[in-house]
Amino acid sequence: MAIPVSYTRSQIGLHWLIAALVFFQIFFHNGIEELWRARMEGSVPNEPSPTPHTIAGLLIFVLMIWRVVLRLRHGAPPPPVDEHPALRFLAAAVHVLFYVLLLGMPLSGAVAWFGGFALPAQAHGVAAKVLIALVILHVVAALAHRFWFKSGVMERMVRPG
């Protein structure tokens, strides 16, 4: 497989669609937390029902599977040649963590929600905090690449090659 210079339209579209769903999950998760507490306290029946949060989570999982398939099929552009090895390592680690979290969180959430298990719910909550930190780091890094390093990295995720 040839080394791509940019991402495909599908890869770019999935990136932004998943990002929008993640932002939705981050900013509108309170309802699911309150419903979970009520279920665990017994004030509402312990019967899982679809909610916007669970639907968005399952959609993230499906879209992430598609994204993994596209990544395996088309690859990803390499980091800038002049990028410091420590930054390359950090970027790779953050992306691996994104994939792990964005595939694992829907699974832990589904097991917690549909199975009524507390431990996966706790893991899901911890993972959410890690994901928020990664999102912030990712945005800061993208902006640094755009305005500080002027490396063209950010442009690869808005213009297909």
Side-chain angles (χ1 to χ4, degrees):
M1 165 177 27
I3 298 173
V5 294
S6 188
Y7 293 96
T8 66
R9 287 186 194 283
S10 297
Q11 287 173 306
I12 293 170
L14 283 171
H15 173 273
W16 292 109
L17 180 55
I18 292 167
L21 288 167
V22 166
F23 278 103
F24 171 82
Q25 297 291 69
I26 289 170
F27 291 108
F28 298 103
H29 69 278
N30 288 339
I32 193 89
E33 286 181 352
E34 292 167 14
L35 191 52
W36 173 260
R37 274 192 221 93
R39 279 179 61 197
M40 295 300 104
E41 293 167 355
S43 59
V44 298
N46 191 11
E47 298 173 1
S49 58
T51 66
H53 186 84
T54 57
I55 293 167
L58 294 172
L59 186 55
I60 287 170
F61 182 76
V62 169
L63 294 174
M64 282 302 298
I65 295 293
W66 185 11
R67 188 163 178 185
V68 168
V69 168
L70 288 176
R71 175 100 182 215
L72 293 173
R73 191 174 290 163
H74 299 286
V81 293
D82 58 345
E83 189 168 70
H84 191 278
L87 290 178
R88 285 178 184 235
F89 174 80
L90 183 60
V94 166
H95 282 92
V96 167
L97 273 172
F98 266 128
Y99 278 80
V100 168
L101 289 172
L102 292 174
L103 289 167
M105 286 183 71
L107 293 175
S108 66
V111 169
W113 186 249
F114 295 109
F117 299 112
L119 187 59
Q122 292 169 351
H124 189 79
V126 170
K129 289 169 181 54
V130 173
L131 181 63
I132 290 168
L134 285 179
V135 167
I136 292 167
L137 179 61
H138 188 65
V139 169
V140 168
L143 292 171
H145 272 284
R146 173 75 170 107
F147 297 110
W148 181 274
F149 300 119
K150 297 180 178 26
S151 63
V153 166
M154 192 169 157
E155 287 76 7
R156 297 186 309 196
M157 196 42 79
V158 293
R159 275 187 248 127

